[in-house]
Every structure is written in C-alpha cells, then in structure tokens.
Amino acid sequence: MELRELRYFLAVAREQSISKAAEALFVTQPNLSRQMQNLEKEVGRQLFVRGSRKITLTEAGRLLYKRAEEIIDLYNKTESELNSPMTDISGDIYIGGGESYAVEIIAKAAHAVQREYPNVKFHIFSGDSGTISERLDKGLIDFGIFIEPFDVSKYDYLRLPLTDTWGVLMRRDSPLAQKEYITPEDLWDKPLIRSRQSLGKNMMGQWFQKSEEELNVVATGNLLYNMSLLVKEGVGYAVCLDKIIQTNENSDLCFRPLYPELISHLDIAWKKYQVFPKCAEIFLKRLQELL
C-alpha cells in the first residue's frame, strides 16, 4: 500500500462518496474508483459497502481507516521533524493525556518554550490512559500524561508535583450536596456516570466495596464537560476528578470528595531510548526546571 492510496481511502471514507472524494482530491472519479478497487484486491478484503446514496465501511474497512490515520499522522510528524532547520529551533510537539488541572504545569513549560522559541508548536490530544499509551507506543505522540493507577514502568517518566482528588460531581440541589464528603454507601443506590479515565476496576471495586457490575452505572464518558451536562440534566452522579469543572457558588453543580479519600498522582512519560527532535528536548528540559 502506498501513502497516496491511503490518503485516497481516507477521503472516500470521510466523504462517504467516490464522486465527492474525487472532487476534494482533484482526481477523476473513474481513477479514484479504480484505485479503491485495487486497494481492496491488495488487502484481499472488501473495504466498502456501496449503497445507492452513500458508501460505508466494512469491519475490515474500519480497521484500515484507524491504521491509515495513524500511518499518515506518523508520516506527517516524521516529515515535519526532518524538515525543521537544524539551525533554527522549530517544530511540533505532540502531547496526549486525560483531563486534569495538574496539566497546568505542562502548559507553563510549553509557554516557557514558546517565549524563547516562537516557531515551536504544541498539539494536545485528549483520551483515556489506554488510548494515550497506544499512541505513545506507536510514536504518534512524544509525551503522554497518565493518571494513577496506570503503570508507567515501561516508560521513562517524571512524576508531576500536583495530585488529583477523586470525588462526585452532582447537582447543587441533590440531597448528597449537603454532605462534606461522599462514602461508598451514599452511592450504592445512585445512578452513576463513570469517567473512562477513572480509577480502574480494582481501585473502583476496593473503594466502593462492590464490583462495577453491582453498581448502577448509567453512563460513561471520556470528557468531563460532556459528563457534566448529563449531571446537570439529572442523569446521574459523575465520579471524577476535582478542579476540572467550575463549581463556584453561581454554578448549578457542586463537587464533594470521596471518603475514604482517594488521591491520584500524575506522570508525564515518554518511550525509553526515545530520540527527540531538538524542540522536544528543550520542552523536557524546561519541564524539569519547573519541577
């Protein structure tokens, strides 16, 4: 498979139409259709379901779509690094992580780099620990930010000096809002919204004193803002980290910490024996100075 074929394939998948993709790519429709047929022959699997109005992906097509995006992203990242002038500090730094107020120290390091080297650009990818680890392993990001209990031992890493507190985000008019802290028993009969970057099944089970299957988990999410909208509408109580959603006195929502207390440390990690571009080396140095 050539990069051109993968770019064409991604365009067809996104447009769900050979004609629209051909127009976007500035190629003829017969040529693009032939390229996709050749790609299907090459992989030995049907990639598209060709309907009367739109084209959808088969299971094999969805797998290739994910891999093709990763391959193109890695190619673009490598090309950018190789094309950066050796005498000029510039380039792109890719960082992935979950939502946490502790990321502010990463922002401070990024700001310090950009003040000195304005041609350095930062790209932030949000996701749960599993997704971040996968992208880090494949070289799609330079650094990953992980929240305990994720095991970072296979990476080189720095522990950030800030910690996150676990608790419950709820409506201010909820009966539990009158409490100073939330115990496991308080939540046993409540509808729960669980973050996908949450405590992990073992820690969750230990704190709740019940398995996840015994709890009433009505929704999950990986972006707390979206989860907070569910909370606001009364869908349930979100088990999450503090200081991400504003819960001041003017907010309809409030946050109460868990008891027994649960605290998570954060680590910024990178692959062992990683060869960084110069801009990423400088960022890591500035981060170490801040720490």
Side-chain angles (χ1 to χ4, degrees), residues 45-260:
R45 303 279 293 277
Q46 182 180 350
L47 301 174
F48 303 103
V49 177
R50 294 166 174 84
S52 58
R53 293 193 173 185
K54 68 178 183 178
I55 292 175
T56 57
L57 295 177
T58 64
E59 184 177 351
R62 289 192 295 271
L63 174 61
L64 181 59
Y65 185 89
K66 180 181 179 183
R67 296 295 180 240
E69 279 196 317
E70 293 172 349
I71 290 168
I72 297 299
D73 285 348
L74 184 57
Y75 174 83
N76 291 338
K77 182 174 181 293
T78 304
E79 185 179 48
S80 174
E81 291 172 359
L82 291 174
N83 289 337
S84 296
M86 298 301 292
T87 56
D88 179 31
I89 304 301
S90 61
D92 299 270
I93 299 174
Y94 296 82
I95 303 173
E99 292 179 295
S100 167
Y101 90 101
V103 175
E104 68 180 29
I105 197 166
I106 305 298
K108 289 180 180 179
H111 189 206
V113 171
Q114 285 195 323
R115 279 201 308 266
E116 192 172 356
Y117 306 104
N119 291 326
V120 174
K121 298 178 182 178
F122 288 85
H123 307 275
I124 307 300
F125 175 85
S126 297
D128 58 29
S129 295
T131 303
I132 297 304
S133 178
E134 181 182 2
R135 294 182 74 87
L136 188 58
D137 291 343
K138 292 178 178 178
L140 298 173
I141 56 177
D142 301 302
F143 302 95
I145 303 167
F146 296 100
I147 302 170
E148 279 187 320
F150 188 83
D151 182 10
V152 293
S153 60
K154 70 174 182 177
Y155 302 116
D156 287 329
Y157 66 93
L158 290 171
R159 172 144 290 183
L160 301 180
L162 304 175
T163 57
D164 273 321
T165 299
W166 288 94
V168 181
L169 186 68
M170 67 188 80
R171 288 172 58 101
R172 194 170 291 277
D173 59 5
S174 163
L176 294 184
Q178 306 306 315
K179 301 181 61 111
E180 292 184 18
Y181 50 81
I182 304 300
T183 66
E185 293 85 352
D186 292 329
L187 299 175
W188 283 350
D189 62 344
K190 299 294 189 296
L192 302 178
I193 303 170
R194 185 174 70 80
S195 168
R196 293 197 197 108
Q197 67 177 37
S198 192
L199 300 165
K201 286 194 173 182
N202 289 337
M203 286 182 68
M204 181 75 79
Q206 290 172 9
W207 186 85
F208 273 102
Q209 303 164 28
K210 287 180 180 287
S211 67
E212 187 168 0
E213 290 71 22
E214 295 177 284
L215 300 171
N216 183 23
V217 178
V218 297
T220 64
N222 64 340
L223 293 176
L224 189 52
Y225 176 75
N226 291 338
M227 293 165 60
S228 73
L229 297 180
L230 296 178
V231 174
K232 189 174 181 179
E233 289 300 319
V235 173
Y237 297 78
V239 180
C240 59
L241 297 173
D242 194 8
K243 298 180 181 178
I244 300 174
I245 299 297
Q246 291 292 329
T247 55
N248 55 40
E249 59 183 14
N250 296 321
S251 171
D252 294 330
L253 305 179
C254 64
F255 180 91
R256 297 292 181 265
L258 301 180
Y259 183 84

